[in-house]
Amino acid sequence: MSVNTSNAYGKITISDIAIARVASQAAMECYGIVETVSRRFTDSLSELFKKESQGKGVKVTTNGDRIYIDVYVIIKFGVSINAVAESLKESVKYRVEKFTGMIVDTVNVNIIGVKL
């Protein structure tokens, strides 16, 4: 799916993959995040054969002009999970809203693992 909007100049369509890439980049820039990871093992296998990751570890769902994002991450050992998760939510929400001009309704953080 994609998000659609229009202005005086015409129609704008933003793909979920483009939104996922922005969210993934925002997640990787947050303190305490080691990497974004796929939710399932089969996703990891399919990513091995792709030339570049397309929003790895991020699932974007759109409904009208609302955006729902799930982020799957590995965090650094010893950091506050709550602080990192809140920072990640705020960063992803801000960057995607700035990029799309749409409202991000929810950002769910799924911590898959911890790395030393």
Side-chain angles (χ1 to χ4, degrees), residues 24-40:
S24 181
Q25 182 65 35
M28 288 305 301
E29 292 174 3
C30 286
Y31 175 78
I33 301 297
V34 176
E35 67 180 302
T36 56
V37 294
S38 299
R39 348 182 257 287
R40 296 186 308 259

Side-chain angles (χ1 to χ4, degrees), residues 47-89:
E47 285 176 2
L48 287 174
F49 300 106
K50 292 181 183 177
K51 290 185 180 178
E52 61 183 64
S53 84
Q54 297 186 5
K56 176 182 165 188
V58 178
K59 178 185 173 197
V60 175
T61 308
T62 56
N63 185 6
D65 64 347
R66 299 280 183 172
I67 302 170
Y68 306 91
I69 301 172
D70 289 304
V71 183
Y72 300 85
V73 295
I74 293 177
I75 65 168
K76 187 177 186 178
F77 179 76
V79 298
S80 168
I81 292 175
N82 190 41
V84 171
E86 286 303 315
S87 173
L88 177 61
K89 285 180 185 182

Side-chain angles (χ1 to χ4, degrees), residues 2-5 14 16 19 60-69 89 92-107:
S2 58
V3 177
N4 299 309
T5 187
I14 305 168
D16 288 351
I19 295 169
V60 175
T61 308
T62 56
N63 185 6
D65 64 347
R66 299 280 183 172
I67 302 170
Y68 306 91
I69 301 172
K89 285 180 185 182
V92 168
K93 180 176 171 51
Y94 173 76
R95 293 275 296 273
V96 171
E97 284 180 348
K98 185 176 176 187
F99 174 70
T100 62
M102 305 291 178
I103 297 168
V104 174
D105 200 28
T106 57
V107 176

